[in-house]
Each structure stands twice: as C-alpha cells, then as structure tokens.
Amino acid sequence: MTPVQHTEPIIILLAEDNPADFHLTAEAMKESKIRNQLFHVDDGVEVLEFLRRKGKYADVPRPDVILMDLNMPAQGRPPHASGDQRRPRPEGIPVVVLTVSDAEEDIIKSYDLHANCYVTKPMDLDEFARVVKGIEDFWFTIVKLPPNKEAGKA
C-alpha cells in the first residue's frame, strides 16, 4: 500500500501524564515518514481546555486525532464521552485510548464512551515505538478521515 501524501502536517493531541511515555511517543512520531505536529497535555482538564481553545490553548489547531492515556489525573469523563453538553465531543476526531491497562472493564468502558480504538502499551521500548508507528500508519495511511475544516488556518 502506498502511503497517503499529506500536504499539511497531521495534528496530533497526545494526552499523557507519564513523561517517559510522552518522550517515547514523540520520538516514534518524529521518526515516522508521516508529517505531524504533536501537541501534548498532561491531564483531562487540559484536554478539555485544548478542545475548547481556552487560556493558553486559544490559538491551537483542531487535532486530527487524540491519543489519550486512560489513567491520567483529573481525567473525569474523557472528551469522547457523551451526555454532558458542557464537555466538547470531538466530532470527527478519532480518540485512541493508549494505556497500560488490559483489563476487560477498561476496554468495555472506553468503547462504551465512544473511543475509536483501544491499544495496550507494551512494556518493551522497541515494541512501544512499533505500536505508536502502527497507530499513526493506521489512522493516516489506511483509514479515510473527514477533512479537518480548520486545516491551513492560522
């Protein structure tokens, strides 16, 4: 399969509170052949501020995908949860739960809250980098996503 050529970088929001996992994910994406712009937040509150473009996130672009650790502090309900109208639902933005948990109840809960996929982080660093690359390849070379209506806006 020939990779899709993107004219604009893919905007990725990484919600990760573990600095080691953030750096490993960022490094794996840097080595990717897919152009991307990675934004990082440490907790669920910041995810919501980013999606709402509040405070220091007033000028951020709309993400094309959200990679979210399941067990972040101040998580509350993840942004892909429905029901609370004060929380933005990232319509058209895939939410990938990327977590160390392989507990069945966490998997079920994530899909019940409309996560688009659930990936368990491997403990091996090389395997973790391979998984991150696989996520990126899947969402940006195989899957067809709706166009980011804000792409190119400054």
Side-chain angles (χ1 to χ4, degrees):
M1 173 175 279
T2 305
V4 174
Q5 296 297 318
H6 298 279
T7 56
E8 297 292 325
I10 302 301
I11 308 300
I12 301 169
L13 175 58
L14 175 60
E16 174 61 65
D17 64 320
N18 182 318
D21 285 351
F22 162 69
H23 289 297
L24 186 59
T25 304
E27 189 61 34
M29 289 183 180
K30 188 186 300 182
E31 293 178 12
S32 166
K33 292 181 172 106
I34 299 171
R35 289 181 51 215
N36 65 69
Q37 185 176 6
L38 181 65
F39 290 86
H40 174 242
V41 295
D42 289 320
D43 62 42
V45 172
E46 284 190 284
V47 170
L48 296 174
E49 288 174 358
F50 191 100
L51 292 174
R52 290 180 180 139
R53 297 187 177 138
K54 299 291 182 184
K56 66 183 178 181
Y57 302 111
D59 296 322
V60 297
R62 177 184 183 273
D64 294 303
V65 69
I66 300 169
L67 300 180
M68 174 173 277
D69 183 22
L70 182 65
N71 299 310
M72 291 190 313
Q75 181 70 24
R77 292 179 72 187
H80 55 281
S82 60
D84 184 346
Q85 298 306 314
R86 294 168 302 167
R87 295 181 188 272
R89 264 190 96 210
E91 298 295 333
I93 303 173
V95 175
V96 177
V97 174
L98 184 60
T99 184
V100 296
S101 172
D102 62 358
E104 186 175 313
E105 60 270 13
D106 288 338
I107 296 167
I108 292 168
K109 177 182 169 185
S110 293
Y111 283 112
D112 283 349
L113 293 173
H114 306 289
N116 296 95
C117 69
Y118 187 100
V119 179
T120 303
K121 295 177 190 175
M123 300 312 280
D124 177 76
L125 296 180
D126 290 334
E127 184 65 15
F128 183 77
R130 189 186 69 72
V131 165
V132 169
K133 174 77 170 97
I135 291 169
E136 195 173 43
D137 285 344
F138 177 76
W139 285 106
F140 301 114
T141 62
I142 297 172
V143 172
K144 295 283 189 191
L145 295 173
N148 187 336
K149 296 174 184 160
E150 298 178 16
K153 289 185 180 180

